[in-house]
Amino acid sequence: MTKEVIVRFPPSPTGYLHIGGARTAIFNWLFAQKTGGKLILRIEDTDVERSTEESIDGIIESLKWLGITWDEGPYFQSHFIKEHQAAAQKLLESGHAYKCFCTKETLDIKREEALKKKGSLHYDGTCRNLTPEEVSAKEAEGIPYTIRLKVPRVEGSVCFKDIVYGFIEKKYEDIDDFVIVRSNGQPLYILSNTVDDIRDRITHVLRGQDGLVNTPKQILLYKALGAPIPEFAHMSLTLDPQKAKISKRTHGELVAVHFYREHGFLPWALVNFLVRLGWSTPDSRDIFTKEELIEAFSLEGVNRANSVFNVNKNDPKFFTDPKALSINSHYIRNIPVEELEPYVRAELEKAGIWNPEFESARRDWYLATIDLIRSRYHVTTEFATLGRAYFSDEYQIEEKALEKNILKHDGLKNWFSILADRLESIESFSIEETENVIRDMAEELDIKAGILINGIRAAVTGQTVGPGLFDILIAIGQKRVVERLRKAVSFFD
Ligand code: GLU
């Protein structure tokens, strides 16, 4: 029987969940789903100074919003500090670790000398060979000590096969006798992370490429603790167009999952986009349903090459990667209207234009209107901005629409008023009838129908573009169209 896959997502709660972290979480989740394994959520909160409750809540909320489910946890690393310390104790007892009484000052001096001589910056091993008596004497004096792992000092190396990066080798001589417990008794992150992974019986460590520097040391820890070594798969980095690593520090909110939520992304569209950053199928397909993605996903498809995330700080409309927007718009256009509706509702509520009739008397109209206007939108916030005139009578005429489609044609002042009367007198306000009225009038006036069509669109929706005008008129309704055209006459005053 093959071993059950157990993976983990262990964020450090020192800020929001950013898209790089979300991508790692998604890969872990997909791998667990694909293999019928388990995903554990572990909050690595041992950095007390930087960890916050707010960040924990934010990360969990973002994961939930993305639809990432986990089978165990959240566990909190800080609850296991005693266990991490016990592991260090065990390493001392088994001779795999030693107490180092060197003070910070001594180490700094040695380091500086080594720097001058361009020698090795590694710990020189002064305390590695202390006799038990010497150790006891120093302890009796109350000299504080750190605990260091005894890296083999023979010729050899740590080797492993990373699922993404392939064979990796690190010579023992290039690995320092690294500290695993500070002199105040606090375990170092590298120890805590490893001990937690051992306890949680993690079979595959899937994490960002920045974790790769720790892997050889962690493998030494696994070996010293007599624990089975998991498989490792490191995910390539996500870079910005300037080839800088995407980070909270340089990109701020633009890389936060919650930013995408607030700016009208559908969760699955974001998942779909993020998974394609650094993972692909041989046919480079972009759009996957959840089931399709689980079916198609494999760690072998994870690319070694770093991916580029085209965030654009300076463009308020295309604030993010064009591909992310195009995937989002694909979902806005194509998911069942009923599925899209709650997101639209949230936007209308946020904008203060939600009308309870949309869920009762006007429900059918409301759903049909969403369906009519959605094809041009990239983000759901546009239902309340570009689409505002459909749901509310309080809307602005876009500057461009006013200038180009209304005020440029003086005649419209009169024509709007005549059109209002004629449209008002239509008995059955249908696509056909409204089209007849408008086209007949253009013919009568000997002008292009486009002048009337664009003028009316601008007046009744505030926009220069949108669905076909006759569909728009039916959606907005006879009474409101007539009122809006009459009001538009005053724009010329
Ligand atoms: N807590 C680490 C981070 O947030 C995770 C490291 C790991 O996956 O081993 O970067």
Side-chain angles (χ1 to χ4, degrees):
M1 201 178 82
T2 49
K3 212 166 41 165
E4 184 193 21
V5 163
I6 307 179
V7 288
R8 80 309 192 255
F9 177 58
S12 305
T14 55
Y16 51 69
L17 181 68
H18 64 93
I19 52 122
R23 191 185 61 152
T24 306
I26 292 166
F27 283 165
N28 275 287
W29 171 73
L30 281 173
F31 188 58
Q33 295 280 320
K34 168 99 192 185
T35 54
K38 214 159 67 173
L39 171 62
I40 295 178
L41 176 62
R42 181 169 75 224
I43 307 291
E44 299 206 315
D45 58 344
T46 33
D47 183 344
V48 220
E49 304 265 287
R50 296 174 61 222
S51 300
T52 65
E53 283 291 327
E54 196 192 343
S55 163
I56 297 172
D57 294 345
I59 290 171
I60 291 181
E61 207 179 301
S62 287
L63 288 173
K64 284 190 177 159
W65 178 75
L66 286 169
I68 294 176
T69 48
W70 54 92
D71 306 281
E72 276 184 36
Y75 297 138
F76 292 87
Q77 187 160 66
S78 58
H79 296 179
F80 296 97
I81 290 184
K82 287 215 161 65
E83 213 175 277
H84 309 150
Q85 287 164 332
Q89 204 53 43
K90 187 175 152 197
L91 291 173
L92 280 175
E93 283 157 18
S94 62
H96 288 97
Y98 61 93
K99 295 178 181 171
C100 172
F101 298 89
C102 296
T103 61
K104 187 174 174 301
E105 291 69 33
T106 334
L107 293 175
D108 285 348
I109 294 168
K110 285 185 182 168
R111 209 182 130 81
E112 252 168 57
E113 276 170 12
L115 268 175
K116 266 190 228 147
K117 288 191 216 145
K118 297 209 161 60
S120 161
L121 295 181
H122 287 173
Y123 177 60
D124 66 0
T126 306
C127 296
R128 185 174 166 125
N129 299 315
L130 293 179
T131 62
E133 293 70 31
E134 285 168 323
V135 172
S136 306
K138 285 186 188 284
E139 275 189 286
E141 271 182 65
I143 304 177
Y145 60 85
T146 59
I147 302 178
R148 289 181 185 270
L149 192 82
K150 224 182 234 177
V151 177
R153 290 296 168 234
V154 291
E155 227 178 273
S157 49
V158 178
C159 303
F160 65 100
K161 193 166 170 289
D162 186 272
I163 297 174
V164 176
Y165 287 91
F167 183 75
I168 293 185
E169 178 175 17
K170 180 103 177 164
K171 290 193 180 128
Y172 291 144
E173 64 185 63
D174 294 331
I175 308 176
D176 204 357
D177 277 0
F178 56 99
V179 176
I180 53 175
V181 178
R182 291 196 180 82
S183 57
N184 62 5
Q186 215 180 62
L188 265 97
Y189 172 72
I190 195 160
L191 176 68
S192 303
N193 180 265
T194 311
V195 172
D196 287 347
D197 282 348
I198 295 171
R199 183 198 54 250
D200 293 337
R201 302 199 321 282
I202 301 302
T203 58
H204 294 73
V205 172
L206 319 184
R207 63 183 171 197
Q209 195 231 41
D210 40 357
L212 205 48
V213 288
N214 284 332
T215 315
K217 293 181 186 171
Q218 292 191 301
I219 289 179
L220 289 176
L221 280 170
Y222 279 102
K223 285 188 176 160
L225 287 163
I229 299 166
E231 301 272 349
F232 288 91
H234 289 86
M235 313 293 153
S236 59
L237 298 178
T238 307
L239 307 176
D240 73 6
Q242 286 73 43
K243 303 282 185 290
K245 196 181 151 198
I246 291 283
S247 75
K248 300 175 196 174
R249 207 162 22 84
T250 40
H251 301 86
E253 299 272 294
L254 272 185
V255 296
V257 168
H258 68 81
F259 183 85
Y260 288 81
R261 180 181 187 173
E262 285 152 20
H263 284 76
F265 265 74
L266 298 172
W268 184 256
L270 189 59
V271 170
N272 192 150
F273 168 70
L274 290 178
V275 85
R276 284 288 284 105
L277 277 181
W279 171 82
S280 52
T281 49
D283 58 357
S284 296
R285 181 171 156 195
D286 274 331
I287 302 289
F288 296 86
T289 62
K290 182 172 151 182
E291 291 68 30
E292 287 167 346
L293 193 53
I294 292 169
E295 171 72 29
F297 187 77
S298 79
L299 291 176
E300 284 68 37
V302 175
N303 305 329
R304 280 187 211 183
N306 293 331
S307 51
V308 176
F309 180 54
N310 284 301
V311 269
N312 187 348
K313 280 192 228 177
N314 305 319
D315 186 338
K317 182 161 161 62
F318 292 101
F319 59 93
T320 186
D321 198 296
K323 187 158 173 191
L325 288 167
S326 112
I327 292 182
N328 202 44
S329 91
H330 168 89
Y331 283 103
I332 289 180
R333 272 199 313 274
N334 292 301
I335 60 175
V337 180
E338 286 76 8
E339 231 175 86
L340 179 63
E341 184 279 323
Y343 298 96
V344 178
R345 176 177 177 151
E347 297 301 341
L348 301 187
E349 282 175 343
K350 243 196 297 176
I353 54 172
W354 170 253
N355 180 343
E357 285 187 3
F358 296 164
E359 58 178 343
S360 50
R362 296 175 69 197
R363 172 106 184 147
D364 292 344
W365 171 85
Y366 165 62
L367 294 178
T369 302
I370 294 175
D371 196 26
L372 174 69
I373 62 180
R374 63 175 165 164
S375 69
R376 286 177 172 269
Y377 296 166
H378 288 94
V379 281
T380 57
T381 47
E382 287 172 327
F383 284 93
T385 54
L386 306 182
R388 187 178 172 104
Y390 293 88
F391 304 105
S392 165
D393 291 325
E394 276 149 41
Y395 63 96
Q396 300 277 325
I397 312 281
E398 253 186 15
E399 191 65 29
K400 192 169 84 182
L402 185 65
E403 294 299 329
K404 195 174 124 212
N405 294 353
I406 300 182
L407 298 182
K408 211 173 112 192
H409 307 283
D410 291 339
L412 279 173
K413 182 175 181 175
N414 245 332
W415 305 335
F416 275 162
S417 151
I418 302 169
L419 274 168
D421 292 345
R422 292 191 185 175
L423 290 170
E424 192 174 35
S425 65
I426 293 179
E427 252 172 53
S428 101
F429 198 72
S430 64
I431 292 194
E432 217 174 50
E433 292 288 313
T434 51
E435 181 163 6
N436 283 341
V437 165
I438 292 163
R439 293 207 187 274
D440 287 354
M441 181 148 159
E443 223 166 276
E444 234 175 270
L445 295 168
D446 197 19
I447 56 167
K448 282 200 202 115
I451 295 181
L452 295 182
I453 290 176
N454 291 335
I456 301 170
R457 179 185 288 110
V460 303
T461 68
Q463 303 292 317
T464 54
V465 290
L469 179 72
F470 312 108
D471 289 312
I472 292 179
L473 297 181
I474 306 308
I476 291 183
Q478 188 169 22
K479 190 164 157 281
R480 293 201 298 167
V481 166
V482 169
E483 280 166 9
R484 289 175 186 194
L485 287 177
R486 290 197 173 126
K487 192 171 163 209
V489 171
S490 66
F491 298 155
F492 292 89
D493 297 340

